[in-house]
Amino acid sequence: MTSAPAAPATGAAFLAALRDALPTLRLLTDPAETEPHRWDETEYMRPGIPLGVAFPASTAEVVTIVRLAGAHGVPLVPRGAGTGLSGGAIAADGALTLVLTGLDAIHAIDAENQLVRCGPGVLNAELGRRVAEHGLFYPPDPSSYEISTIGGNLAENAGGLRCVKYGVTRDYVLDLEVVLADGAVIRTGGATVKDVMGYDLTSLFVGSEGTLGIITEATLRLLPLPPPKLTLLAFFDSLTAAGEAVAEVARRGIIPVTLELIDAFTLKAVEAVLKLGLDPDAAAMLMIESDAGGEAAAAELDAAEAACRATGATSVLRAADATEADWLREARRRAHWALEQAGVARTDDIGVPRSAIPAIIAEIGEIGARHGVRIGVFGHAGDGNLHPSFIMDRDDPDAEERLEAVRAEIYRAVLRLGGTIAGEHGTGVPKRKWLAEQRGPAAVAVMHAIKAALDPQGILNPGKLLP
Ligand SMILES: Cc1cc2nc3c(=O)[nH]c(=O)nc-3n(C[C@H](O)[C@H](O)[C@H](O)COP(=O)(O)OP(=O)(O)OC[C@H]3O[C@@H](n4cnc5c(N)ncnc54)[C@H](O)[C@@H]3O)c2cc1C
């Protein structure tokens, strides 16, 4: 169920009631001021015109806003830092965008129990730095870790560069405080590692993309800080050989902390921006890292190097020290931005079983060539998660149509290989129509039933996730 945009009079009455109830709330309504908050990182999408943008500073303020929105039938768009790549936080017509970055307190770091309790507005990297002061480690690290919020990471169930070994955001969530569509505040879990009381509501809200409730606090599980990483780069003369190496690493039971793939097109784009001196003639590069520490790390990289050489690596090099490793990791983290320099880059996000990496790489190449669409491929290959990035000419009138055909063919290939159309960036707006094809109509009906039970008016993030 999706609520219609609020009528202008309704919107005005809502804003007046909001100002009355929360006189100190930061509330923007001037289009010049709301404009930067309409978009996320999907510049190809068409956001709506919001009624306003509010910046609550506490759970109590969120509750008041949600209650008033419900009473006036005004939709709400929860928003973190707006770095999303599936349109989850883009503005909806007549809706109030609710920016949660003000709830950025780190309430408690419990070193004894290896937990942190924080607001959704804290940046991922900031959380990492703060817990590291206590010798602790929060593993989920999307490439956007310096600029994305924990709330956005939770709502998207974000992945990152350490998932091969440590898993995704969901694996570190013990408890959430959530404001529901009727203003009720619930807690979904607790402070224990094990907890099976009732349905697993924590998992339900993680990855719900702001459509089921607004996360106002989280208790996250931490690990002891691992030793510094050792980094290896392997270069290949074909993308398929690099894909074979990924499958071979998994086949040999090697579990590095990071196993990232960059194709030639992306490598050249990164090199043009960062000038790292990477092999410009390579058809693909793998970045493999170990945080096993000391000799164990060296042995893990030796094993990974053997797997790469067995599948045709043309050269292999290791970072001399941590600073060089940080630089090399930057190459991967900047891939999205680097590709944007080459044209309009539309980054997609698919996942396949790791053994199917060579097959999907071959299919993506074949589909792109047949339709004349340039596709850069990079991603968290060790998780089977790739980001085919479509480079479009801004002046090409047919680009959008060709791209739709390419996306459809790639998604069908992914499903044929037992994969997923959305690996870590969310369903958002562009993949809603694919939900039934992947999950089946009965599963989608369950999702609609959950949505109707939790948000009967359909005021939370309309037009996102559900078809
Ligand atoms: C360069 C770049 C690299 C990236 N790399 C990765 C990567 O490696 N892995 C990965 O998974 N993603 C990656 N992303 C995508 C993006 O950064 C993540 O999805 C991130 O989790 C979004 O966080 P945000 O704070 O920007 O959320 P936003 O974009 O503001 O919002 C994302 C979604 O979360 C919802 N939301 C936000 N806060 C709340 C809340 N408190 N309660 C309920 N719903 C909420 C919004 O409604 C929206 O649906 C990358 C993006 C960029 C630009």
Side-chain angles (χ1 to χ4, degrees), residues 311-336:
T311 46
T314 48
S315 66
V316 174
L317 64 89
R318 296 193 191 197
D321 52 34
T323 312
E324 191 175 280
D326 287 347
W327 260 107
L328 296 174
R329 209 170 303 115
E330 261 325 271
R332 165 57 191 91
R333 289 197 188 277
R334 298 278 187 105
H336 171 78

Side-chain angles (χ1 to χ4, degrees), residues 41 78-85 88-89 100 120 142-144 148-149 151-153 155-156 158-160 209-210 213-215 336-337 380 424-425 461:
E41 285 289 328
R79 181 180 174 92
T83 69
L85 290 171
L100 280 309
S143 291
S144 56
S148 66
T149 66
N153 294 174
E156 296 286 3
E209 301 184 21
I214 297 163
I215 299 165
H336 171 78
W337 281 299
H380 317 296
E424 59 173 16
H425 292 168
N461 220 0

Side-chain angles (χ1 to χ4, degrees), residues 5 89 168 190 277 316 448:
V168 296
V316 174
H448 276 293

Side-chain angles (χ1 to χ4, degrees), residues 362-417:
E363 293 238 25
I364 292 169
E366 188 275 314
I367 294 166
R370 189 154 36 77
H371 288 273
V373 171
R374 283 183 299 165
I375 309 178
V377 179
F378 65 94
H380 317 296
D383 311 325
N385 180 201
L386 292 178
H387 299 313
S389 296
F390 311 110
I391 313 300
M392 300 193 293
D393 191 337
R394 282 176 212 276
D395 305 323
D396 180 351
D398 304 326
E400 198 62 44
E401 201 177 312
R402 268 185 297 141
L403 187 56
E404 278 305 295
V406 167
R407 286 175 61 220
E409 287 192 34
I410 291 178
Y411 295 165
R412 296 224 159 86
V414 162
L415 294 181
R416 236 181 6 257
L417 291 165

Side-chain angles (χ1 to χ4, degrees), residues 30 81 93 105 111 114 144 149 154 194 215 218 239 243 246 264 275-276 386 412 464:
D30 180 339
D93 281 331
Q114 300 182 339
S144 56
T149 66
L154 290 164
K194 289 183 174 177
I215 299 165
L239 187 54
V246 173
K275 310 214 181 326
L276 291 168
L386 292 178
R412 296 224 159 86
K464 318 288 171 63

Side-chain angles (χ1 to χ4, degrees), residues 105-430:
I106 296 182
H107 300 293
I109 297 173
D110 178 350
E112 194 177 1
N113 292 301
Q114 300 182 339
L115 308 175
V116 58
R117 193 163 56 79
C118 67
V122 63
L123 294 179
N124 178 301
E126 175 62 12
L127 185 79
R129 281 190 283 270
R130 292 284 297 279
V131 302
E133 290 166 10
H134 299 257
L136 295 166
F137 173 52
Y138 178 63
D141 72 330
S143 291
S144 56
Y145 74 131
E146 291 280 5
I147 52 170
S148 66
T149 66
I150 289 295
N153 294 174
L154 290 164
E156 296 286 3
N157 189 20
L161 274 69
R162 301 195 276 237
C163 302
V164 189
K165 180 167 177 179
Y166 292 110
V168 296
T169 299
R170 173 174 288 129
D171 301 316
Y172 294 87
V173 189
L174 293 180
D175 184 30
L176 297 174
E177 179 186 81
V178 182
V179 177
L180 301 178
D182 64 358
V185 182
I186 62 162
R187 299 211 75 105
T188 64
T192 57
V193 173
K194 289 183 174 177
D195 183 351
V196 293
M197 279 298 277
Y199 292 131
D200 184 356
L201 297 181
T202 307
S203 287
L204 179 64
F205 286 101
V206 174
S208 63
E209 301 184 21
T211 63
L212 297 181
I214 297 163
I215 299 165
T216 46
E217 196 182 288
T219 302
L220 306 169
R221 199 162 67 89
L222 304 171
L223 296 176
L225 200 59
K229 284 183 262 193
L230 291 188
T231 304
L232 173 151
L233 300 183
F235 297 89
F236 297 82
D237 58 12
S238 83
L239 187 54
T240 313
E244 292 290 354
V246 173
E248 186 61 19
V249 167
R251 212 173 286 130
R252 294 185 182 200
I254 305 163
I255 306 180
V257 58
T258 299
L259 175 39
E260 297 286 319
L261 177 141
I262 300 186
D263 76 348
F265 190 72
T266 313
L267 201 57
K268 284 195 174 66
V270 167
E271 196 46 38
V273 179
L274 290 182
K275 310 214 181 326
L276 291 168
L278 301 171
D279 182 355
D281 300 322
M285 180 186 95
L286 291 184
M287 166 179 282
I288 306 179
E289 298 194 293
S290 173
D291 68 352
E295 286 177 11
E300 194 164 76
L301 290 194
D302 286 346
E305 180 173 341
C308 290
R309 291 205 185 274
T311 46
T314 48
S315 66
V316 174
L317 64 89
R318 296 193 191 197
D321 52 34
T323 312
E324 191 175 280
D326 287 347
W327 260 107
L328 296 174
R329 209 170 303 115
E330 261 325 271
R332 165 57 191 91
R333 289 197 188 277
R334 298 278 187 105
H336 171 78
W337 281 299
L339 282 172
E340 280 185 335
Q341 315 304 313
V344 181
R346 182 163 166 176
T347 301
D348 212 303
D349 167 47
I350 48 123
V352 292
R354 280 172 290 196
S355 58
I357 284 273
I360 194 64
I361 283 174
E363 293 238 25
I364 292 169
E366 188 275 314
I367 294 166
R370 189 154 36 77
H371 288 273
V373 171
R374 283 183 299 165
I375 309 178
V377 179
F378 65 94
H380 317 296
D383 311 325
N385 180 201
L386 292 178
H387 299 313
S389 296
F390 311 110
I391 313 300
M392 300 193 293
D393 191 337
R394 282 176 212 276
D395 305 323
D396 180 351
D398 304 326
E400 198 62 44
E401 201 177 312
R402 268 185 297 141
L403 187 56
E404 278 305 295
V406 167
R407 286 175 61 220
E409 287 192 34
I410 291 178
Y411 295 165
R412 296 224 159 86
V414 162
L415 294 181
R416 236 181 6 257
L417 291 165
T420 176
I421 292 172
E424 59 173 16
H425 292 168
T427 308
V429 179

